[in-house]
Amino acid sequence: TVFWFINKSQKAQKAKVSYYKLNGKRSNFFEVPYKNEDGYKSCLYGEHLLLNNNKPIILVESEKTAIVASIEFPQYTWLSYSGINGLTDSKLQVLKGERVLLIPDVSKNAVSILQKKLKKFERLNIDATIFDMTFNKSDDELKAMGCYNIDIEDILRSDC
């Protein structure tokens, strides 16, 4: 699957080629044919949807999750920051003055990474809230439940 990253000005910034297993999970192999060092800068996946947006904004890690969630919950604008460490300062700029719900994957690490970034959101006048789907369970408890490191898209297909 090729995910095209189109910015708020409707310009293609980058592409990400992801490979999926038959169970719908992404493999560990993916390609980014257009590199930063070649002048291609990344943006939020779905950023172009912010143009004339009047829906609440939800940020998730995975591009696939943003697409599936937008079908299941079209009353929201779903964007992806492309992985646990993908929420960079430059990607945040387009969210100035916005109110955003952040939904990290279900792990203490993913939640912790976003909690550390909340001050950056505040400095940019972004009203950000984290929806912590770990519900105060440890990673070991989440693993025992089969719910560790999953996301909204996984939940729509599972018993978690």
Side-chain angles (χ1 to χ4, degrees):
T1 303
V2 179
F3 296 104
W4 285 97
F5 290 73
I6 301 170
N7 68 20
K8 198 172 178 179
S9 300
Q10 309 297 305
K11 294 191 172 107
Q13 292 290 108
K14 240 181 187 179
K16 179 179 176 183
V17 182
S18 293
Y19 297 85
Y20 290 90
K21 301 174 190 173
L22 292 177
N23 66 1
K25 296 293 252 176
R26 187 176 60 80
S27 72
N28 289 330
F29 181 71
F30 66 91
E31 300 173 77
V32 182
Y34 306 103
K35 308 287 186 207
N36 287 351
E37 55 268 17
D38 296 327
Y40 298 97
K41 303 297 181 199
S42 195
C43 63
L44 293 170
Y45 179 76
E47 182 178 305
H48 63 287
L49 300 172
L50 295 174
L51 188 66
N52 301 316
N53 180 55
N54 59 0
K55 299 179 192 176
I57 299 167
I58 300 179
L59 274 176
V60 293
E61 286 187 35
S62 161
E63 298 87 0
K64 180 179 77 166
T65 297
I67 291 171
V68 172
S70 72
I71 294 166
E72 291 292 323
F73 307 104
Q75 66 270 36
Y76 302 102
T77 297
W78 293 84
L79 308 175
S80 165
Y81 49 92
S82 299
I84 196 165
N85 294 307
L87 194 53
T88 62
D89 293 352
S90 63
K91 288 181 185 178
L92 287 177
Q93 299 300 315
V94 296
L95 297 173
K96 285 182 179 177
E98 298 284 359
R99 186 174 185 193
V100 178
L101 178 63
L102 304 162
I103 306 180
D105 287 2
V106 182
S107 78
K108 290 294 185 183
N109 185 45
V111 172
S112 174
I113 287 171
L114 286 186
Q115 286 172 333
K116 291 175 186 169
K117 292 184 182 266
L118 284 177
K119 291 217 183 293
K120 288 182 184 182
F121 281 89
E122 192 176 307
R123 281 194 296 274
L124 291 170
N125 191 32
I126 302 168
D127 182 3
T129 304
I130 299 172
F131 177 46
D132 180 356
M133 294 190 304
T134 66
F135 299 107
N136 295 318
K137 291 185 174 25
S138 70
D139 284 349
D140 288 338
E141 289 173 302
L142 294 166
K143 287 175 187 175
M145 294 169 55
C147 298
Y148 175 74
N149 211 29
I150 64 169
D151 64 15
I152 299 260
E153 190 275 333
D154 295 311
I155 291 169
L156 291 170
R157 292 185 292 113
S158 76
D159 295 330
C160 284

